[in-house]
Amino acid sequence: MPTVPSSYPGVSVARVSISRSTPSRAGTGSRSRAAAREPRPAYECDACGHQPPKWVGRCPECGEWGSVVECTVTGPTVSGRVVSSRVPAEPARPIATISAAPARARPTGVGELDRVLGGGLVPGAVVLLAGEPGVGKSTLLLDVAQQWAAGAGSPSLVVSGEESVSQVRLRAERMGTLHDQLFLAAESDLAAVLGHLDAVKPGLLVLDSVQTISTTGTEGVPGGVTQVRAVTAALVAVAKGRGVATVLVGHVTKDGQVAGPRVLEHLVDVVLHFEGDKHSSLRMVRGVKNRFGAADEVGCFEMHEGGISSLADPSGLFLTRYSEPVPGTCVTVAMEGRRALLTEVQALIGATVAGSPRRTVSGLDSARLAMVLAVLQRRTERLTLHDREVFAATVGGIRVVEPAADLAVALAVASGGLNLAIAPHLVAIGEVGLTGEVRRVGAVPRRLAEAARLGFRLALVPPGCGPTSTGAGPEQMRVIEVTDVRSALQAAARASAE
């Protein structure tokens, strides 16, 4: 080895130290990587599956003695803990060998609700029914529980966290829903609810509402995000394990959304919205999510003093029968889910006012009404609407916001502005564009079939939607294709003169 000059002692020492330390660091890194690849011991309880960080004589989770054993695994880790594989309770089977009978829907006895659910309630399914206060959720579910108890062959249990059993009994007497297999309980603790399930062993559980139930093992106040999530998860697990059809009543926010965490809608199998105006007897159950059927079905109900009843044919609620034709009305066919509903649109043209005239709507989209008025003002010669008040509404409390009602709104406004009554046997279907053209809409054959069933003999439809284009149409109905608003007004005038 060459002699290091004395004038560079620091340099020579540094060179020697680097050359000697480099191999040792490399060797240390290799040993550490090898150690990381070696299996690490883990401990698991044979009774409950809990994995303590070290061996203990008694499992801290279930309290069993001598159940913690060592299991050396090299699997994935979660939060620094090894996740070991376990023998499943039931092995995987070929799909063709699995029976679908346990998942068949059972009718509830309420026809319109079965329509939305896809045939009825599936054992083990969890349904979330949400709606505004006072819309009739408890009344509907009490009727469902009575129908289930009378016809399903198994008891039904209604647990109320908002009312006492006496209050529920008074409503049941008024509705005539008393039955020996219908059980009531007033509870706000999850453990007590599970105790009632053990005692009654029902086929249907109605929980009114999930925001009022709490569990002592979870932090937070009743109705909070943590409590609602924990209670729902526990009820879903119990429903799946015991095969109990469960209906949870949920609150809504001021925006009409389901209150609570968004995961609440993901945990359940079916999400239904109960809608209705307090000043109208019409109620609608609208499907939002359904793992067992179509998610766009709508069920119609009518509220009355004796409770609630299904409306298998609700179109009559949205029509007015006149002894003589009246200006300012036109009938269209709206689609609520897969159901076609005939709806009457009424329009009233007020006097000329200075400044900004009012545009008032009820049951219609105000933005679409403003657009239709602008098109009529621009594309017709005899109508002057820019300085006149316009009032438009639907009949029966139904809300129609789809573009297919544009043509009927235009005809109703023109009829009121020109004081010309439209033929009572005419329906108008179509979307109106900004240039005045009439655009195609969906489900026209289904709309025409419903209109023909109720006695309408003339229909104005967009181009390409008539029987000559689609190849099918009601035999007793005359269908006229109109290209724009002006031709639609001319066709309606000719039909009125006939």
Side-chain angles (χ1 to χ4, degrees):
M1 181 175 181
T3 305
V4 180
S6 59
S7 59
Y8 303 97
V11 176
S12 62
V13 173
R15 288 176 179 174
V16 172
S17 62
I18 292 175
S19 61
R20 291 179 179 177
S21 60
T22 301
S24 62
R25 291 179 182 175
T28 303
S30 301
R31 288 193 299 270
S32 61
R33 287 192 296 268
R37 289 193 298 266
E38 293 178 357
R40 293 185 298 172
Y43 302 94
E44 183 178 7
C45 176
D46 286 340
C48 65
H50 177 66
Q51 295 179 347
K54 61 181 180 178
W55 184 89
V56 291
R58 184 181 184 182
C59 176
E61 184 71 18
C62 63
E64 290 289 334
W65 287 93
S67 60
V68 178
V69 296
E70 180 179 349
C71 54
T72 303
V73 296
T74 57
T77 60
V78 176
S79 300
R81 298 178 58 188
V82 178
V83 180
S84 59
S85 62
R86 302 180 62 186
V87 178
E90 184 178 353
R93 294 180 294 166
I95 189 172
T97 63
I98 300 176
S99 174
R104 302 293 184 188
R106 301 180 183 179
T108 63
V110 181
E112 288 299 294
L113 183 61
D114 291 341
R115 176 192 183 101
V116 181
L117 292 173
L121 286 171
V122 177
V126 181
V127 180
L128 176 63
L129 177 66
E132 295 184 356
V135 74
K137 302 183 296 296
S138 302
T139 302
L140 173 63
L141 294 181
L142 186 59
D143 186 24
V144 171
Q146 188 271 338
Q147 295 287 350
W148 182 280
S154 59
S156 58
L157 173 63
V158 177
V159 179
S160 176
E162 301 176 349
E163 298 177 287
S164 64
V165 292
S166 300
Q167 292 174 321
V168 179
R169 164 64 190 259
L170 288 176
R171 185 188 300 112
E173 288 183 354
R174 186 180 73 252
M175 297 173 56
T177 56
L178 299 179
H179 197 276
D180 293 339
Q181 293 298 310
L182 174 57
F183 293 83
L184 301 178
E187 297 292 347
S188 59
D189 183 69
L190 179 61
V193 174
L194 298 180
H196 287 295
L197 285 175
D198 295 334
V200 178
K201 294 180 174 57
L204 171 65
L205 169 65
V206 176
L207 189 63
D208 187 11
S209 64
V210 68
Q211 275 83 8
T212 61
I213 306 299
S214 61
T215 175
T216 56
T218 305
E219 298 180 355
V221 297
V225 173
T226 306
Q227 284 283 349
V228 170
R229 183 190 296 113
V231 170
T232 304
L235 291 174
V236 169
V238 172
K240 302 298 182 185
R242 303 187 182 185
V244 179
T246 305
V247 181
L248 308 178
V249 177
H251 297 169
V252 296
T253 63
K254 61 181 180 181
D255 298 330
Q257 302 296 324
V258 180
R262 192 67 179 184
V263 71
L264 183 64
E265 300 183 37
H266 293 281
L267 290 174
V268 300
D269 301 306
V270 182
V271 179
L272 305 178
H273 281 192
F274 200 22
E275 305 172 355
D277 187 359
K278 295 181 180 180
H279 305 289
S280 174
S281 61
L282 177 66
R283 299 291 187 270
M284 288 189 176
V285 175
R286 190 182 307 275
V288 178
K289 170 189 174 182
N290 192 352
R291 291 175 178 168
F292 312 109
D296 57 351
E297 283 287 358
V298 174
C300 297
F301 299 85
E302 183 179 11
M303 290 288 295
H304 46 79
E305 294 182 357
I308 190 169
S309 58
S310 300
L311 287 177
D313 189 9
S315 293
L317 294 176
F318 316 128
L319 298 176
T320 305
R321 301 298 182 181
Y322 301 98
S323 57
E324 297 181 358
V326 178
T329 65
C330 186
V331 178
T332 187
V333 186
M335 293 299 298
E336 288 289 347
R338 297 185 177 184
R339 169 175 286 181
L341 299 176
L342 267 75
T343 305
E344 180 181 345
V345 179
Q346 297 180 346
L348 176 63
I349 310 302
T352 303
V353 296
S356 300
R358 287 186 294 175
R359 304 285 192 258
T360 305
V361 298
S362 176
L364 296 169
D365 188 358
S366 58
R368 299 207 68 85
L369 175 65
M371 185 199 70
V372 170
L373 295 179
V375 171
L376 289 175
Q377 175 74 30
R378 183 70 175 176
R379 304 301 173 185
T380 57
E381 296 83 4
R382 299 172 54 188
L383 277 176
T384 303
L385 302 171
H386 67 278
D387 57 350
R388 303 183 67 178
E389 294 182 336
V390 178
F391 305 88
T394 57
V395 175
I398 188 173
R399 179 167 177 80
V400 181
V401 296
E402 62 170 338
D406 290 349
L407 186 57
V409 173
L411 292 180
V413 171
S415 173
L418 300 175
N419 197 26
L420 176 64
I422 295 179
H425 59 273
L426 181 145
V427 294
I429 305 168
E431 178 184 357
V432 176
L434 293 179
T435 60
E437 82 279 9
V438 179
R439 301 175 179 173
R440 298 185 62 176
V441 295
V444 172
R446 190 178 304 172
R447 301 174 196 257
L448 295 179
E450 179 66 15
R453 187 182 67 86
L454 294 179
F456 288 83
R457 303 188 304 273
L458 178 63
L460 304 181
V461 299
C465 296
T468 57
S469 302
T470 59
E475 297 180 357
Q476 65 274 28
M477 174 177 285
R478 179 187 172 196
V479 181
I480 301 176
E481 298 182 2
V482 292
T483 58
D484 52 22
V485 174
R486 184 178 300 178
S487 61
L489 293 177
Q490 294 173 355
R494 289 193 300 268
S496 301
E498 294 177 356

PDB file of all heavy atoms in Angstrom, residues 449-472:
ATOM      1  N   ALA A 449    -101.041   4.340 -26.736  1.00  0.00           N
ATOM      2  CA  ALA A 449    -101.908   3.247 -26.294  1.00  0.00           C
ATOM      3  C   ALA A 449    -102.710   3.639 -25.060  1.00  0.00           C
ATOM      4  O   ALA A 449    -103.907   3.320 -24.949  1.00  0.00           O
ATOM      5  CB  ALA A 449    -101.066   2.002 -26.013  1.00  0.00           C
ATOM      6  N   GLU A 450    -102.091   4.357 -24.138  1.00  0.00           N
ATOM      7  CA  GLU A 450    -102.810   4.799 -22.942  1.00  0.00           C
ATOM      8  C   GLU A 450    -103.864   5.831 -23.299  1.00  0.00           C
ATOM      9  O   GLU A 450    -104.982   5.808 -22.759  1.00  0.00           O
ATOM     10  CB  GLU A 450    -101.813   5.375 -21.935  1.00  0.00           C
ATOM     11  CG  GLU A 450    -102.426   5.890 -20.641  1.00  0.00           C
ATOM     12  CD  GLU A 450    -103.038   4.791 -19.800  1.00  0.00           C
ATOM     13  OE1 GLU A 450    -102.758   3.609 -20.063  1.00  0.00           O
ATOM     14  OE2 GLU A 450    -103.796   5.126 -18.865  1.00  0.00           O
ATOM     15  N   ALA A 451    -103.558   6.754 -24.205  1.00  0.00           N
ATOM     16  CA  ALA A 451    -104.544   7.753 -24.616  1.00  0.00           C
ATOM     17  C   ALA A 451    -105.716   7.099 -25.333  1.00  0.00           C
ATOM     18  O   ALA A 451    -106.882   7.470 -25.118  1.00  0.00           O
ATOM     19  CB  ALA A 451    -103.882   8.791 -25.512  1.00  0.00           C
ATOM     20  N   ALA A 452    -105.435   6.128 -26.182  1.00  0.00           N
ATOM     21  CA  ALA A 452    -106.523   5.433 -26.883  1.00  0.00           C
ATOM     22  C   ALA A 452    -107.386   4.643 -25.909  1.00  0.00           C
ATOM     23  O   ALA A 452    -108.608   4.535 -26.097  1.00  0.00           O
ATOM     24  CB  ALA A 452    -105.937   4.519 -27.956  1.00  0.00           C
ATOM     25  N   ARG A 453    -106.790   4.089 -24.882  1.00  0.00           N
ATOM     26  CA  ARG A 453    -107.563   3.325 -23.904  1.00  0.00           C
ATOM     27  C   ARG A 453    -108.574   4.193 -23.178  1.00  0.00           C
ATOM     28  O   ARG A 453    -109.659   3.722 -22.795  1.00  0.00           O
ATOM     29  CB  ARG A 453    -106.608   2.680 -22.894  1.00  0.00           C
ATOM     30  CG  ARG A 453    -107.265   1.713 -21.924  1.00  0.00           C
ATOM     31  CD  ARG A 453    -106.256   1.159 -20.931  1.00  0.00           C
ATOM     32  NE  ARG A 453    -105.760   2.190 -20.037  1.00  0.00           N
ATOM     33  CZ  ARG A 453    -106.371   2.557 -18.906  1.00  0.00           C
ATOM     34  NH1 ARG A 453    -107.511   1.979 -18.547  1.00  0.00           N
ATOM     35  NH2 ARG A 453    -105.861   3.496 -18.135  1.00  0.00           N
ATOM     36  N   LEU A 454    -108.241   5.462 -22.989  1.00  0.00           N
ATOM     37  CA  LEU A 454    -109.142   6.380 -22.292  1.00  0.00           C
ATOM     38  C   LEU A 454    -110.051   7.148 -23.236  1.00  0.00           C
ATOM     39  O   LEU A 454    -110.707   8.104 -22.825  1.00  0.00           O
ATOM     40  CB  LEU A 454    -108.330   7.349 -21.438  1.00  0.00           C
ATOM     41  CG  LEU A 454    -107.568   6.708 -20.273  1.00  0.00           C
ATOM     42  CD1 LEU A 454    -106.786   7.749 -19.497  1.00  0.00           C
ATOM     43  CD2 LEU A 454    -108.512   5.970 -19.342  1.00  0.00           C
ATOM     44  N   GLY A 455    -110.097   6.790 -24.514  1.00  0.00           N
ATOM     45  CA  GLY A 455    -111.086   7.350 -25.416  1.00  0.00           C
ATOM     46  C   GLY A 455    -110.633   8.500 -26.277  1.00  0.00           C
ATOM     47  O   GLY A 455    -111.466   9.102 -26.970  1.00  0.00           O
ATOM     48  N   PHE A 456    -109.363   8.853 -26.306  1.00  0.00           N
ATOM     49  CA  PHE A 456    -108.884   9.942 -27.156  1.00  0.00           C
ATOM     50  C   PHE A 456    -108.702   9.414 -28.583  1.00  0.00           C
ATOM     51  O   PHE A 456    -108.134   8.343 -28.803  1.00  0.00           O
ATOM     52  CB  PHE A 456    -107.580  10.510 -26.610  1.00  0.00           C
ATOM     53  CG  PHE A 456    -107.775  11.325 -25.355  1.00  0.00           C
ATOM     54  CD1 PHE A 456    -107.851  10.703 -24.115  1.00  0.00           C
ATOM     55  CD2 PHE A 456    -107.889  12.704 -25.422  1.00  0.00           C
ATOM     56  CE1 PHE A 456    -108.030  11.441 -22.966  1.00  0.00           C
ATOM     57  CE2 PHE A 456    -108.069  13.457 -24.269  1.00  0.00           C
ATOM     58  CZ  PHE A 456    -108.147  12.819 -23.042  1.00  0.00           C
ATOM     59  N   ARG A 457    -109.146  10.210 -29.560  1.00  0.00           N
ATOM     60  CA  ARG A 457    -109.187   9.748 -30.938  1.00  0.00           C
ATOM     61  C   ARG A 457    -108.211  10.462 -31.859  1.00  0.00           C
ATOM     62  O   ARG A 457    -108.062  10.082 -33.021  1.00  0.00           O
ATOM     63  CB  ARG A 457    -110.600   9.919 -31.507  1.00  0.00           C
ATOM     64  CG  ARG A 457    -111.673   9.212 -30.699  1.00  0.00           C
ATOM     65  CD  ARG A 457    -113.011   9.259 -31.413  1.00  0.00           C
ATOM     66  NE  ARG A 457    -113.432  10.609 -31.722  1.00  0.00           N
ATOM     67  CZ  ARG A 457    -114.118  11.390 -30.901  1.00  0.00           C
ATOM     68  NH1 ARG A 457    -114.449  10.951 -29.692  1.00  0.00           N
ATOM     69  NH2 ARG A 457    -114.479  12.597 -31.271  1.00  0.00           N
ATOM     70  N   LEU A 458    -107.552  11.516 -31.392  1.00  0.00           N
ATOM     71  CA  LEU A 458    -106.628  12.280 -32.234  1.00  0.00           C
ATOM     72  C   LEU A 458    -105.387  12.609 -31.417  1.00  0.00           C
ATOM     73  O   LEU A 458    -105.479  13.019 -30.254  1.00  0.00           O
ATOM     74  CB  LEU A 458    -107.290  13.564 -32.738  1.00  0.00           C
ATOM     75  CG  LEU A 458    -106.428  14.487 -33.592  1.00  0.00           C
ATOM     76  CD1 LEU A 458    -106.002  13.790 -34.881  1.00  0.00           C
ATOM     77  CD2 LEU A 458    -107.162  15.786 -33.912  1.00  0.00           C
ATOM     78  N   ALA A 459    -104.224  12.443 -32.056  1.00  0.00           N
ATOM     79  CA  ALA A 459    -102.949  12.715 -31.374  1.00  0.00           C
ATOM     80  C   ALA A 459    -102.032  13.464 -32.318  1.00  0.00           C
ATOM     81  O   ALA A 459    -101.916  13.120 -33.503  1.00  0.00           O
ATOM     82  CB  ALA A 459    -102.290  11.420 -30.913  1.00  0.00           C
ATOM     83  N   LEU A 460    -101.375  14.501 -31.777  1.00  0.00           N
ATOM     84  CA  LEU A 460    -100.345  15.242 -32.495  1.00  0.00           C
ATOM     85  C   LEU A 460     -98.995  14.805 -31.949  1.00  0.00           C
ATOM     86  O   LEU A 460     -98.725  14.948 -30.748  1.00  0.00           O
ATOM     87  CB  LEU A 460    -100.531  16.751 -32.313  1.00  0.00           C
ATOM     88  CG  LEU A 460    -101.893  17.338 -32.724  1.00  0.00           C
ATOM     89  CD1 LEU A 460    -101.909  18.846 -32.516  1.00  0.00           C
ATOM     90  CD2 LEU A 460    -102.218  16.990 -34.166  1.00  0.00           C
ATOM     91  N   VAL A 461     -98.141  14.270 -32.840  1.00  0.00           N
ATOM     92  CA  VAL A 461     -96.866  13.710 -32.418  1.00  0.00           C
ATOM     93  C   VAL A 461     -95.755  14.274 -33.288  1.00  0.00           C
ATOM     94  O   VAL A 461     -96.017  14.834 -34.364  1.00  0.00           O
ATOM     95  CB  VAL A 461     -96.884  12.168 -32.506  1.00  0.00           C
ATOM     96  CG1 VAL A 461     -97.955  11.583 -31.590  1.00  0.00           C
ATOM     97  CG2 VAL A 461     -97.099  11.712 -33.946  1.00  0.00           C
ATOM     98  N   PRO A 462     -94.496  14.150 -32.862  1.00  0.00           N
ATOM     99  CA  PRO A 462     -93.371  14.630 -33.680  1.00  0.00           C
ATOM    100  C   PRO A 462     -93.201  13.797 -34.940  1.00  0.00           C
ATOM    101  O   PRO A 462     -93.724  12.681 -35.046  1.00  0.00           O
ATOM    102  CB  PRO A 462     -92.168  14.486 -32.734  1.00  0.00           C
ATOM    103  CG  PRO A 462     -92.739  14.379 -31.371  1.00  0.00           C
ATOM    104  CD  PRO A 462     -94.064  13.714 -31.532  1.00  0.00           C
ATOM    105  N   PRO A 463     -92.457  14.302 -35.901  1.00  0.00           N
ATOM    106  CA  PRO A 463     -92.191  13.520 -37.123  1.00  0.00           C
ATOM    107  C   PRO A 463     -91.441  12.236 -36.790  1.00  0.00           C
ATOM    108  O   PRO A 463     -90.547  12.203 -35.950  1.00  0.00           O
ATOM    109  CB  PRO A 463     -91.333  14.470 -37.966  1.00  0.00           C
ATOM    110  CG  PRO A 463     -91.629  15.830 -37.436  1.00  0.00           C
ATOM    111  CD  PRO A 463     -91.913  15.661 -35.985  1.00  0.00           C
ATOM    112  N   GLY A 464     -91.832  11.165 -37.475  1.00  0.00           N
ATOM    113  CA  GLY A 464     -91.205   9.876 -37.263  1.00  0.00           C
ATOM    114  C   GLY A 464     -91.765   9.085 -36.125  1.00  0.00           C
ATOM    115  O   GLY A 464     -91.221   8.021 -35.796  1.00  0.00           O
ATOM    116  N   CYS A 465     -92.838   9.554 -35.488  1.00  0.00           N
ATOM    117  CA  CYS A 465     -93.438   8.853 -34.345  1.00  0.00           C
ATOM    118  C   CYS A 465     -94.839   8.332 -34.651  1.00  0.00           C
ATOM    119  O   CYS A 465     -95.487   7.774 -33.761  1.00  0.00           O
ATOM    120  CB  CYS A 465     -93.495   9.768 -33.121  1.00  0.00           C
ATOM    121  SG  CYS A 465     -91.884  10.264 -32.493  1.00  0.00           S
ATOM    122  N   GLY A 466     -95.329   8.553 -35.867  1.00  0.00           N
ATOM    123  CA  GLY A 466     -96.651   8.085 -36.221  1.00  0.00           C
ATOM    124  C   GLY A 466     -96.659   6.625 -36.601  1.00  0.00           C
ATOM    125  O   GLY A 466     -95.614   5.971 -36.719  1.00  0.00           O
ATOM    126  N   PRO A 467     -97.859   6.050 -36.828  1.00  0.00           N
ATOM    127  CA  PRO A 467     -97.957   4.625 -37.211  1.00  0.00           C
ATOM    128  C   PRO A 467     -97.241   4.316 -38.519  1.00  0.00           C
ATOM    129  O   PRO A 467     -96.699   3.223 -38.687  1.00  0.00           O
ATOM    130  CB  PRO A 467     -99.465   4.390 -37.320  1.00  0.00           C
ATOM    131  CG  PRO A 467    -100.081   5.476 -36.515  1.00  0.00           C
ATOM    132  CD  PRO A 467     -99.166   6.657 -36.634  1.00  0.00           C
ATOM    133  N   THR A 468     -97.215   5.254 -39.474  1.00  0.00           N
ATOM    134  CA  THR A 468     -96.541   4.988 -40.738  1.00  0.00           C
ATOM    135  C   THR A 468     -95.036   4.878 -40.566  1.00  0.00           C
ATOM    136  O   THR A 468     -94.359   4.228 -41.363  1.00  0.00           O
ATOM    137  CB  THR A 468     -96.855   6.114 -41.729  1.00  0.00           C
ATOM    138  OG1 THR A 468     -96.459   7.377 -41.161  1.00  0.00           O
ATOM    139  CG2 THR A 468     -98.344   6.151 -42.037  1.00  0.00           C
ATOM    140  N   SER A 469     -94.498   5.512 -39.518  1.00  0.00           N
ATOM    141  CA  SER A 469     -93.049   5.464 -39.286  1.00  0.00           C
ATOM    142  C   SER A 469     -92.658   4.314 -38.372  1.00  0.00           C
ATOM    143  O   SER A 469     -91.656   3.640 -38.593  1.00  0.00           O
ATOM    144  CB  SER A 469     -92.574   6.793 -38.688  1.00  0.00           C
ATOM    145  OG  SER A 469     -92.900   7.872 -39.548  1.00  0.00           O
ATOM    146  N   THR A 470     -93.434   4.096 -37.316  1.00  0.00           N
ATOM    147  CA  THR A 470     -93.103   3.057 -36.349  1.00  0.00           C
ATOM    148  C   THR A 470     -93.678   1.704 -36.719  1.00  0.00           C
ATOM    149  O   THR A 470     -93.248   0.679 -36.201  1.00  0.00           O
ATOM    150  CB  THR A 470     -93.619   3.453 -34.952  1.00  0.00           C
ATOM    151  OG1 THR A 470     -95.053   3.634 -35.015  1.00  0.00           O
ATOM    152  CG2 THR A 470     -92.989   4.757 -34.496  1.00  0.00           C
ATOM    153  N   GLY A 471     -94.677   1.705 -37.614  1.00  0.00           N
ATOM    154  CA  GLY A 471     -95.269   0.438 -38.023  1.00  0.00           C
ATOM    155  C   GLY A 471     -96.341  -0.075 -37.098  1.00  0.00           C
ATOM    156  O   GLY A 471     -96.878  -1.155 -37.304  1.00  0.00           O
ATOM    157  N   ALA A 472     -96.688   0.670 -36.048  1.00  0.00           N
ATOM    158  CA  ALA A 472     -97.719   0.240 -35.107  1.00  0.00           C
ATOM    159  C   ALA A 472     -98.395   1.456 -34.522  1.00  0.00           C
ATOM    160  O   ALA A 472     -97.806   2.528 -34.425  1.00  0.00           O
ATOM    161  CB  ALA A 472     -97.114  -0.636 -33.998  1.00  0.00           C
TER     162      ALA A 472
END
